[in-house]
Amino acid sequence: MKNLLQLPSIPECAWTRPIGLGWEKPYTVRYASNLDDGPWHGMPLGGFGGGCIGRSPRGDFNLWHLDGGEHIFQTIPACQFSVFEQVGSQPSQAYALSTEPPRDGTLSAWNWYPASDQHQTTGTYHALYPRSWFAYEGVLQAQLVCEQFSPILPGNYQDTSYPIAVFEWTAHNPTDQPITLSILLTWQNLVGWFTNANKSPTVQVRDDGSPEYEYRPRWGQSSGNFNRVLDDNGRVGCLLERSPSDRPIAEGDGQWAIATVSSPYNSEIFYYTRWNPAGDGAEIWQSFAADGSLANFDDERPATDGEQVATAIAVRLTLAPGQTRQIPFVVAWDLPVTEFAAGVTYFRRYTDFFGRNGQNAWAIARTALKLHQTWREQIQAWQQPILERPDCPDWLKMALFNELYDLTSGGSLWSAADERDPIGQFAILECLDYRWYESLDVRLYGSFALLMLWPRLEKSVMEAFARAIPTADPSSRVIGYYYTQGVESPIAVRKVANATPHDLGAPNEHVWEKTNYTSYQDCNLWKDLPADFVLLVYRDFLFTGGTDYEFLATCWPAIQAALAYLKTFDLDNDGIPENSGAPDQTFDDWRLQGISAYCGGLWIAALEAAIAIANLLSTQPDPAAGLPATIATYQTWLAQSRPLYQDKLWNGQYYRLDSGSGSDVVMADQLCGQFYARLLGLPDVVPADCARSALETVYDTCFLKFNNGSLGAANGLRPGGSPEKPDATHPLEVWTGINFGLAAFLLQIGMKTEALTLTEVVVKQIYSNGLQFRTPEAITAVGTFRACMYLRPMAIWGVYGVLTDWQTSNQ
């Protein structure tokens, strides 16, 4: 029979790294209190909201985002793939496929895979989310590739939620002798680990002014955990469980499963259900290293206090010369409950399809073994048209897909469906250092990917904001910014009625219901959030076909309330709300005074969007009362605002930072409002020639004159490229997402070369300096970063949207 299988075709644009090769000088964190796991991050595996795991470019499993919103970065050596090889009658060899042996003396009987160095490679790691590959070279005589993926599928609101990781191994024999190979998957029983043992943690103010609380997982608490083997119509694996309890299922409860399929083509499956991952590992390794087998040992005894248990399955096969074979493995988990504050629990979205009793890991694994090839083909069908676009350079294709990682590993939540939310509620963190969800000022940029690929999830987030705007929370708190300044903080109300909330809450309280978690600033005073809300609602309506009037009608009362609230900050009644002199917008270390280019432009664009929405709603049956009067009011405000903005801020070359500080700083994002107006087909905020002059000035001043264009655009520099204040924070940082938004704006006005040059430089900063799969908010000129796994960098999908006229085709 002719061998039709081939080694996987790995896209040329995938991000690559030699297996186990370290970084000479990876970027490090700017503030000691911020998170810095180091550069060993690989592509995450798992569906949206179901938790995810990560395997790094050195082969170890080290990322465990399995408790919604919480972060654990720690290698578990017993969770590992290993390989045995014997070529003809030559001596055999066996390796655990991580280049990082345990440092605590455990698993000392195992032989660990050699790392690449500057002179030779032992293989290459490739990543193009949601797929990644390990291609092993130079150590084994067989050609061996492991392709890893989860069913992340645009427009799919079922499979995309599954808590599953697929590992499809392809082995080819290029020699003239038979090769016996065995692939081993070992896994420690982790049931019960991923929940906060401190159910009511105290919230404290960190040294950077941000609120934080202690997360104390039940790490290593395995008492009662046990494993058993299953043989289910050709699907063979191990189920990892915990002894049953009389109490209702809680966060952290459930199962894991590892599985593969038996094959009629000369392969054998072995298992060993109970071994000690805290020992030397000899009970597994001795037989595996000898001939690729396991002892077929089945022991379901639960772990005692202080004991750890792990399980293993292996597939052994012989390849004839020239033969190629595939061996699928899956890792599945069923941890159905997410708990926020004590007693505030939600079921995860995938439970709508697999049940909620925590006993469905095998059903999930079985589904993956049945559908994994279909999933891979669907992923390829989604990606291929983009990969074939001649107007998209390879580095852009790579970053487009890989920046989507945050939808999986950004603490993503996706609740089960109910009558109000028929596909559930969705949210991702602003970042791991600022652990609150869907910060509105940040998602003004970072939500393009969700809108373009999973628009129903995007709308669900905006509907949550619409519900939150009229609510109030009178509880008081101190403001962290003043703490960092060493001065007494004013006491602020958490949430004022009709103020647009900054975020949808944090994982230690009640996400979606208790908003405005951040206390770094008093977000009730922010001047960009209401405008952001209006613009995003109109954008989401337009770019999903322009027919979802129910969505507009649902959000309309909140739009009116938000704009009316914002207008109360127009203290001189000249038409534009003034900034207060405190940091009161997304650049929340940057004091703006009077009318500001950033907030004033967003205000004008939002008024135009609100008028457009009101006009659309007036054409519907039973339109809301008072629409003509509301439109007239907004038109009056606009008539005041537009000439005032131009008169107060235009200096003949660019728009001043604000009208009150006297600063001559060139702000990189000064015309975000104009970008959004153009994006939404609204009247310009400023004259087109002024917009172009301002952007040319930004490009020259903030990008070319900042470290000679080698880092990206700084947020704000004086003409000539010098800092206004050498010790400033935000003005001298390169914000990755703001840069991608700026690049989209440059594309929008026809400065394509400049847009792609800027984008490429920022992408290089991320993917050449150990920041992959933890893209930060900000980088600095001294090789430091701040706020990793940030939401805003998904603004790169805005670059793609403008480059490919996506917005035109969706209107």
Side-chain angles (χ1 to χ4, degrees), residues 254-267:
Q255 297 176 328
W256 289 74
I258 61 173
T260 187
V261 292
S262 59
S263 167
Y265 302 111
N266 191 28
S267 66

Side-chain angles (χ1 to χ4, degrees), residues 44-47 50-54 63-67 256 333 405 408-411:
L45 294 154
C52 73
I53 60 178
L63 181 75
W64 309 94
H65 283 189
L66 294 160
D67 181 353
W256 289 74
W333 52 98
Y405 81 95
T408 296
S409 64

Side-chain angles (χ1 to χ4, degrees), residues 382-399:
W382 156 42
Q383 293 187 332
Q384 200 59 35
I386 297 176
L387 299 183
E388 292 175 352
R389 289 195 71 109
D391 56 344
C392 290
D394 279 356
W395 56 263
L396 178 57
K397 297 169 185 174
M398 180 277 294

